[in-house]
C-alpha cells in the first residue's frame, strides 16, 4: 500500500505517502495545524465579512480541512460555503474509515459528516449539509480549471493551499500555478498556507497577492496569508 496511517503529537492521525515520501500534515499535530492555518487564519478571517463564500482547496487528501470547515459553518446557518477540493489521488475509503478525527473532534454529527464527505460523488456539486456544498475535483490543480465545466467553476474567495512541501512537490509551488489560481479569485480573496518559503512568497507577490506573515502552528515562526489585489 502506498499510504500508511500514522499518529501525530496531538493524537490525531495523518497519512504518509510513499510516492511523495511525505506526510499529509505536521507531525506536531494534524488537527492543530488544520485549525491554526486554515480555519483560524483563513476561514474565520473571510467569514467575518461575507455570508456566502467559495473555497478552493489544493489537495483534498484526508478531507480533514473540509470536515473542519463543514463543522464550522454548521454553527452559523445564515452563512454558507461552496467547497471545491482538488485531488488527483483520492485516499481510499478503507483508509479514511480508520482515521480518528471523529473521535477527537467533539461535535455532534461529525462521523456522519466525514462519511458523507468521502462517499459523495466526484466531479459534481453535492449537498453535504444545508449550508455546505462540496465538489471533489478528481484532477490536478494544474488542470482543474480546464477539466471542470465552466458552469461548475465558481470564483473563489478563499484558497487552502495545502500541497505537499515545496521540496517534495516543486511542480505545484510555482508562479504559473499561482497565476492560474489568481485568475479564478475574486478581488480581496485570501490564500492561506503553512509554507513561508522565500521563493514561494516572491511568486505569490508576482502572481498578484499582497502578503502577511502570521505566526505558524506549533510555534513555527511563520505561515503565509496572501490577499488577491
Ligand atoms: C499535504 S497533503 C493534503 C492534506 C489535505 N489537505 C488533508 O487535510 O489531508 C497534499 C495533497 O495534495 C495532493 N496532490 C498531489 N498532487 C496534486 C496536484 N497536482 N494537484 C492537487 N493536489 C495534489 C496529494 O495527493 C495530497 O492529498
Amino acid at each position: 500500500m502506498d499510504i500508511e496511517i500514522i499518529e501525530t503529537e496531538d493524537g490525531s492521525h495523518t497519512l504518509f505517502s510513499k510516492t511523495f515520501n511525505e506526510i499529509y500534515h505536521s507531525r506536531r499535530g494534524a488537527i492543530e495545524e488544520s485549525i491554526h492555518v486554515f480555519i483560524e487564519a483563513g476561514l474565520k478571517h473571510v467569514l467575518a465579512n461575507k455570508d456566502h463564500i467559495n473555497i478552493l482547496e489544493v489537495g483534498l487528501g484526508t478531507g480533514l480541512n473540509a470536515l473542519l470547515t463543514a463543522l464550522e459553518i454548521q454553527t452559523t446557518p445564515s452563512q454558507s460555503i461552496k467547497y471545491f477540493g482538488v485531488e488527483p489521488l483520492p485516499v481510499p475509503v478503507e483508509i479514511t474509515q480508520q482515521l480518528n478525527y471523529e473521535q477527537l473532534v467533539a461535535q455532534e454529527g461529525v462521523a456522519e459528516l466525514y462519511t458523507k464527505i468521502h462517499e459523495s460523488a466526484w466531479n459534481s456539486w453535492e449537498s453535504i449539509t444545508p449550508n455546505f456544498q462540496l465538489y471533489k475535483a478528481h484532477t490536478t490543480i494544474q488542470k482543474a480549471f480546464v477539466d471542470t465545466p465552466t458552469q461548475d467553476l465558481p470564483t473563489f474567495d478563499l484558497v487552502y493551499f495545502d500541497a505537499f512541501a515545496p521540496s517534495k512537490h516543486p511542480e505545484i509551488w510555482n508562479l504559473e500555478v499561482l497565476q492560474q489560481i489568481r485568475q479564478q479569485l475574486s478581488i480581496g480573496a485570501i490564500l492561506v498556507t503553512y509554507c513561508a518559503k522565500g521563493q514561494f512568497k516572491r511568486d505569490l507577490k508576482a502572481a498578484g497577492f499582497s502578503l502577511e506573515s502570521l505566526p505558524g502552528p506549533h510555534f513555527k515562526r511563520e505561515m503565509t496569508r496572501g490577499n488577491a489585489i
Side-chain angles (χ1 to χ4, degrees):
M1 173 74 74
D2 176 55
I3 294 176
E4 250 171 43
I5 299 177
I6 54 177
E7 190 173 312
T8 64
E9 285 176 24
D10 67 2
S12 57
H13 283 153
T14 189
L15 301 176
F16 179 80
S17 160
K18 290 185 191 157
T19 309
F20 286 90
N21 187 28
E22 179 64 319
I23 188 168
Y24 279 53
H25 302 95
S26 161
R27 284 183 194 277
R28 305 288 302 276
I31 289 184
E32 281 179 17
E33 179 188 46
S34 284
I35 290 178
H36 182 106
V37 176
F38 301 106
I39 305 300
E40 294 293 335
L43 183 64
K44 288 190 180 174
H45 182 74
V46 176
L47 282 178
N49 305 310
K50 285 196 160 87
D51 283 338
H52 174 79
I53 64 171
N54 299 322
I55 299 179
L56 166 67
E57 178 169 33
V58 180
L60 181 71
T62 62
L64 176 58
N65 291 333
L67 173 69
L68 294 172
T69 302
L71 286 168
E72 185 62 35
I73 203 69
Q74 268 189 349
T75 62
T76 54
S78 62
Q79 292 181 299
S80 59
I81 290 176
K82 283 179 97 171
Y83 194 104
F84 188 94
V86 178
E87 180 55 67
L89 304 166
V91 178
V93 176
E94 307 84 76
I95 300 248
T96 59
Q97 277 168 346
Q98 296 176 55
L99 299 177
N100 64 0
Y101 303 139
E102 49 204 62
Q103 285 102 283
L104 296 180
V105 180
Q107 249 173 285
E108 210 176 309
V110 63
E112 292 76 5
L113 198 49
Y114 195 51
T115 302
K116 227 171 159 187
I117 285 171
H118 283 293
E119 290 184 349
S120 70
W122 288 83
N123 301 325
S124 67
W125 282 107
E126 303 289 324
S127 277
I128 304 296
T129 68
N131 62 346
F132 184 82
Q133 283 185 61
L134 177 64
Y135 190 106
K136 298 193 295 186
H138 188 188
T139 181
T140 62
I141 188 59
Q142 295 93 322
K143 294 200 291 165
F145 305 138
V146 287
D147 281 357
T148 306
T150 320
Q151 70 272 16
D152 284 338
L153 197 59
T155 299
F156 297 104
D157 307 292
L158 174 60
V159 182
Y160 295 163
F161 201 95
D162 200 13
F164 287 126
S167 57
K168 300 293 167 77
H169 202 184
E171 300 88 332
I172 291 201
W173 301 86
N174 64 41
L175 180 58
E176 199 185 334
V177 168
L178 291 173
Q179 283 170 331
Q180 282 170 16
I181 291 177
R182 174 65 191 84
Q183 282 178 10
Q184 216 39 61
L185 302 184
S186 58
I187 298 281
I190 294 291
L191 178 150
V192 275
T193 178
Y194 62 86
C195 178
K197 290 258 181 308
Q199 184 58 52
F200 173 65
K201 292 201 283 188
R202 288 189 285 281
D203 286 344
L204 258 185
K205 268 193 188 162
F209 292 84
S210 65
L211 300 190
E212 280 175 272
S213 291
L214 305 173
H218 309 119
F219 307 106
K220 239 179 97 184
R221 205 157 53 88
E222 266 185 41
M223 59 163 278
T224 305
R225 182 158 69 196
N227 201 318
I229 48 180

